[in-house]
Amino acid sequence: MSSIAVYPGSFDPITLGHLDVARRAAGIFDELHILVVHNPAKSPLFSSEERVELIRASLGELGIHSGAKLSVDTLDSGLLVNYCKMVSASTIIKGFRNSSDLDYELPMAQVNKDLAAVETIFMASAPEHGLVSSSLVKQVAELDGDVSKYVSRAVARALASSSANRKG
Ligand code: PNS
């Protein structure tokens, strides 16, 4: 039986930390579905379609090839565990950088296990990505800082053009 996992998140936008987790998870599972999930608690900068495109471009840039083994999809409504069932995934992958991430993630992992017996596996972020978050990257880009250490070139370009558009 093949092992199938889902790596969900807002990915607004995807960072090098997320991409590192995706690459490592893709090496462990037979199939990995990177899933852009609508989080009603957040107001995203990029549409879900733009986030999917940025993930695909970033995977290509880093030589992480999406195809049968690695796919990128969106979930705009409904439960994550229902998507997991639909693609026959029994595992959710989450990255964590610190104990605050675990405090945030643990209840979701417990609810997902309770709802549908889907297990969550946490992957520790690589130390060099420990301070990277989508929200900080957006803030740095908005203030014309250099985000090239934190995101792919495609994401850096998208952030720069979104910031330029907003400034008119
Ligand atoms: O990157 P984020 O915003 O922290 O990701 C959180 C996300 C979107 C993965 C989480 O909110 C989620 O799984 N939402 C889907 C709705 C759902 O299944 N909720 C119940 C269990 S958490």
Side-chain angles (χ1 to χ4, degrees):
M1 206 173 88
S2 61
S3 59
I4 305 173
V6 174
Y7 178 29
S10 294
F11 301 122
D12 182 48
I14 193 151
T15 66
L16 295 184
H18 294 132
L19 288 159
D20 182 55
V21 169
R23 183 185 53 75
R24 287 156 58 199
I28 295 171
F29 292 88
D30 297 321
E31 254 181 61
L32 181 71
H33 299 264
I34 303 176
L35 189 65
V36 173
V37 183
H38 171 68
N39 184 344
K42 296 181 179 173
S43 308
L45 177 64
F46 297 106
S47 70
S48 44
E49 293 74 22
E50 287 170 326
R51 285 178 268 162
V52 166
E53 279 315 307
L54 289 173
I55 293 171
R56 292 203 173 117
S58 304
L59 291 169
E61 222 177 89
L62 272 67
I64 308 168
H65 296 292
S66 59
K69 197 177 181 304
L70 185 59
S71 73
V72 188
D73 204 355
T74 57
L75 181 69
D76 287 329
S77 63
L79 288 172
L80 175 60
V81 291
N82 289 346
Y83 179 89
C84 292
K85 268 190 232 161
M86 190 179 81
V87 297
S88 307
S90 53
T91 309
I92 292 168
I93 294 293
K94 290 287 185 91
F96 77 100
R97 296 158 296 185
N98 48 44
S99 55
S100 310
D101 279 352
L102 278 183
D103 286 346
Y104 169 70
E105 295 290 350
L106 186 60
M108 293 196 264
Q110 288 168 330
V111 165
N112 287 326
K113 169 83 170 144
D114 198 43
L115 285 172
V118 178
E119 294 285 357
T120 299
I121 293 184
F122 292 103
M123 294 186 82
S125 77
E128 63 271 30
H129 299 309
L131 51 77
V132 184
S133 74
S134 298
S135 51
L136 273 179
V137 160
K138 282 184 279 194
Q139 206 179 102
V140 172
E142 184 63 28
L143 299 171
D144 299 323
D146 178 12
V147 292
S148 59
K149 276 194 294 188
Y150 312 130
V151 295
S152 67
R153 289 191 298 277
V155 170
R157 276 195 302 272
L159 284 166
S161 87
S162 147
S163 168
N165 284 345
R166 270 198 312 288
K167 286 172 187 160

